Amino acid sequence: MTKFEYYNSGLHLATFVVSADQVQVQAWDASQTVALDDAQDAYYASRMAISPKQIFSQWQSVAFKIPEGDAFTTAWGADYQRADDHYWLNRNAKPAIDLVIEGQKVIGFQITVRNANIILATPEALPYTAYADWQKAGMIQKPLPITETDVMIPMPDGVQLAATVIKPAGTTTPCSTILTRTPYGRKQFVPDHERFAHRGYVVVCQDVRGREDSQGEWQPMLHEKADGDAPLIGSPRNLGAMGALG
């Protein structure tokens, strides 16, 4: 039985317990460890960019034999290059799933996806990952509870734009706010931005005009500046809609 700690950009979000016949997980805000079912696996996969079940089945089912030389390719086609005695870089991959190896066993993974850095590692592996830099910078933190609420934000011309507001639970005072706007569907980006709310920020993920759940006609680049300004400097209705979501 091996415990892997899950960190996202310095936030400790879960502990996975891996044995020969199952994977269990304890979320940061849960009181007990439970078997990792398909729904939970999908939840964590959306935040890690890879299924925990998949990564553990690939690397933990058998002991890993360190190959001779400084590079190797796995049976499923992943290319690796040695960085030092413990760390192997995943080349030509998106996301890159780097390895931490001790003896003949993989004891940690460091995953780079978009603008986030994810660690899934045993306590022994953490010093070989970005965890050491996070700790030095004072970034290791227990997450704050968060809420996510879908709202329609009115623009000055009456068109309403769909947004998901992610914020620390129970927040009633003004917070620094991160606004993101996309024509590609805001929902796919919400998991990426939860980490900011876990640290105390409010995040507004918005579909641009005429896309996904937002009203209006999509005319690329025509309304973006005005619509982007509206939630921040617009009517009290807009500011109240976001600030009242406790």
Side-chain angles (χ1 to χ4, degrees):
M1 183 178 296
T2 307
K3 287 187 177 182
F4 286 81
E5 306 298 341
Y6 163 40
Y7 287 87
N8 187 330
S9 301
L11 296 165
H12 183 224
L13 296 173
T15 299
F16 291 88
V17 182
V18 183
S19 60
D21 57 352
Q22 69 172 336
V23 178
Q24 296 178 299
V25 63
Q26 182 174 1
W28 70 272
D29 56 351
S31 60
Q32 60 184 359
T33 300
V34 298
L36 182 69
D37 60 25
D38 290 343
Q40 291 169 317
D41 187 61
Y43 169 86
Y44 286 107
S46 70
R47 287 148 178 82
M48 295 181 181
I50 188 170
S51 154
K53 286 185 177 181
Q54 177 185 339
I55 200 169
F56 288 130
S57 67
Q58 285 178 334
W59 291 106
Q60 296 300 305
S61 58
V62 295
F64 178 73
K65 183 177 180 181
I66 298 177
E68 295 182 1
D70 293 328
F72 71 93
T73 301
T74 68
W76 54 91
D79 296 323
Y80 282 89
Q81 179 179 337
R82 186 193 299 271
D84 57 36
D85 289 342
H86 295 281
Y87 201 92
W88 290 77
L89 299 166
N90 186 192
R91 295 302 195 188
N92 306 311
K94 188 178 181 181
I97 305 172
D98 296 347
L99 306 178
V100 178
I101 298 173
E102 181 71 53
Q104 299 294 317
K105 189 175 182 180
V106 175
I107 60 171
F109 308 90
Q110 183 160 290
I111 305 166
T112 303
V113 52
R114 288 189 288 274
N115 57 347
N117 198 344
I118 296 158
I119 290 173
L120 191 60
T122 66
E124 295 77 16
L126 290 175
Y128 303 115
T129 69
Y131 178 91
D133 294 321
W134 295 339
Q135 190 173 48
K136 185 177 180 180
M139 291 178 60
I140 304 300
Q141 178 181 322
K142 182 179 179 179
L144 297 173
I146 62 174
T147 62
E148 298 179 7
T149 308
D150 292 328
V151 298
M152 297 299 291
I153 300 176
M155 299 294 102
D157 62 357
V159 170
Q160 298 199 47
L161 304 187
T164 299
V165 179
I166 318 166
K167 62 183 295 185
T171 297
T172 57
T173 57
C175 297
S176 297
T177 299
I178 299 169
L179 172 66
T180 67
R181 308 182 69 250
T182 179
Y184 303 114
R186 72 189 191 281
K187 289 292 188 179
Q188 66 176 308
F189 298 106
V190 167
D192 253 4
H193 291 83
E194 289 175 345
R195 67 185 190 277
F196 297 110
H198 280 311
R199 289 189 179 276
Y201 294 88
V202 172
V203 183
V204 180
C205 297
Q206 187 179 72
D207 291 326
V208 301
R209 182 180 293 243
R211 300 290 289 177
E212 300 295 324
D213 298 324
S214 288
Q215 299 175 354
E217 181 182 359
W218 186 46
Q219 297 176 293
M221 308 308 294
L222 181 61
H223 300 283
E224 306 316 322
K225 184 179 186 304
D227 287 349
D229 286 342
L232 302 178
I233 62 174
S235 71
R237 289 175 59 201
N238 294 356
L239 298 176
M242 290 186 286
L245 299 175

